[in-house]
Amino acid sequence: MHKKNIITAGKKTTEAAKALIMIHGRGGSAEDILSLANYLNVKDYALLAPQAAGNTWYPYSFLMPPAQNEPWLSSALSVLKELVEDVVADGIQPENIYFLGFSQGACLTLEFITRHATKYGGAVAFTGGLIGDKIYPENYTGNFGGSPVFIGTSNPDPHVPVDRVKASEQVLKEMGADITVNIYNNMGHTISQDEINLANQLVFK
């Protein structure tokens, strides 16, 4: 299972007004995703990136029945829950906590914030959607209170179907997120400069 192995950068949580939790993709690392901060308007933030055991948060596609990705999925979600609790304990309230993930990390980001919806600073999902063979509305509680959320994805993407991105957008919108989705034709499974620009405009403003 995952241990709470957090790589940090930027300001300390005890000294920063805002925190950004950055979640790497399958085969990636905490250090990889932290390097993205160089392109974001987050220079005064505390940056925290959890490291997945074996560089993957759960073994199978995010479109499998959730039980098939257990106990890894629950372990990953609990790492994020503990991390948020630690940040709050250091004096940063949820409305100043931000999330960012790529690919598997974007799926985990969206799944976590939607299971624990509240007024967050905002969230960025570079190629991701809510987790499961279908949407499970019973897993999602709370209200985002207008939190800005940006999802960017490619059409097509080899791992994340556009219809799941759109279904996820609908769930978050109904739960009060101020959500923006951009779908890029044939972008590939990557992060584009346009997505970075939009993340800065919409979320890290």
Side-chain angles (χ1 to χ4, degrees):
M1 289 307 93
H2 302 293
K3 294 189 166 53
K4 197 167 67 176
N5 177 13
I6 313 298
I7 311 298
T8 60
K11 290 195 166 184
K12 293 181 176 170
T13 45
T14 48
E15 297 167 1
K18 297 177 175 180
L20 170 59
I21 295 170
M22 307 181 77
I23 306 168
H24 69 77
R26 189 189 299 272
S29 70
E31 287 87 357
D32 289 343
I33 198 81
L34 278 171
S35 70
L36 257 187
N38 296 325
Y39 305 95
L40 303 169
N41 299 335
V42 295
K43 65 178 188 305
D44 294 327
Y45 290 51
L47 306 173
L48 306 104
Q51 174 62 52
N55 302 90
T56 187
W57 292 108
Y58 43 84
Y60 303 113
S61 163
F62 84 110
L63 297 169
M64 299 295 277
Q68 295 198 17
N69 275 314
E70 293 294 2
W72 297 98
L73 176 58
S74 291
S75 176
L77 291 166
S78 72
V79 165
L80 293 184
K81 187 166 186 287
E82 278 186 48
L83 180 52
V84 169
E85 288 166 356
D86 291 347
V87 171
V88 171
D90 281 343
I92 300 177
Q93 292 307 305
E95 61 263 27
N96 288 316
I97 299 176
Y98 296 73
F99 300 84
L100 178 149
F102 170 63
S103 191
Q104 191 185 57
C107 298
L108 193 61
T109 294
L110 292 170
E111 187 70 17
F112 176 80
I113 64 170
T114 311
R115 287 184 183 220
H116 304 278
T118 189
K119 173 77 173 138
Y120 293 116
V124 174
F126 293 127
T127 311
L130 293 170
I131 292 174
D133 52 318
K134 59 179 185 171
I135 300 283
Y136 289 88
E138 64 272 19
N139 288 340
Y140 305 130
T141 57
N143 189 283
F144 285 108
S147 309
V149 178
F150 171 64
I151 306 175
T153 197
S154 176
N155 181 26
D157 180 86
H159 306 290
V160 180
V162 167
D163 62 354
R164 176 55 59 90
V165 174
K166 289 181 172 173
S168 304
E169 175 187 19
Q170 194 57 40
V171 172
L172 272 76
K173 189 177 285 180
E174 288 170 3
M175 292 174 66
D178 180 9
I179 188 163
T180 303
V181 172
N182 253 34
I183 298 167
Y184 300 84
N185 283 329
N186 301 306
M187 177 176 72
H189 196 69
T190 186
I191 299 170
S192 70
Q193 185 62 50
D194 192 68
E195 288 177 291
I196 299 239
N197 295 345
L198 281 168
N200 282 325
Q201 273 174 22
L202 298 167
V203 180
F204 306 117
K205 43 194 176 192

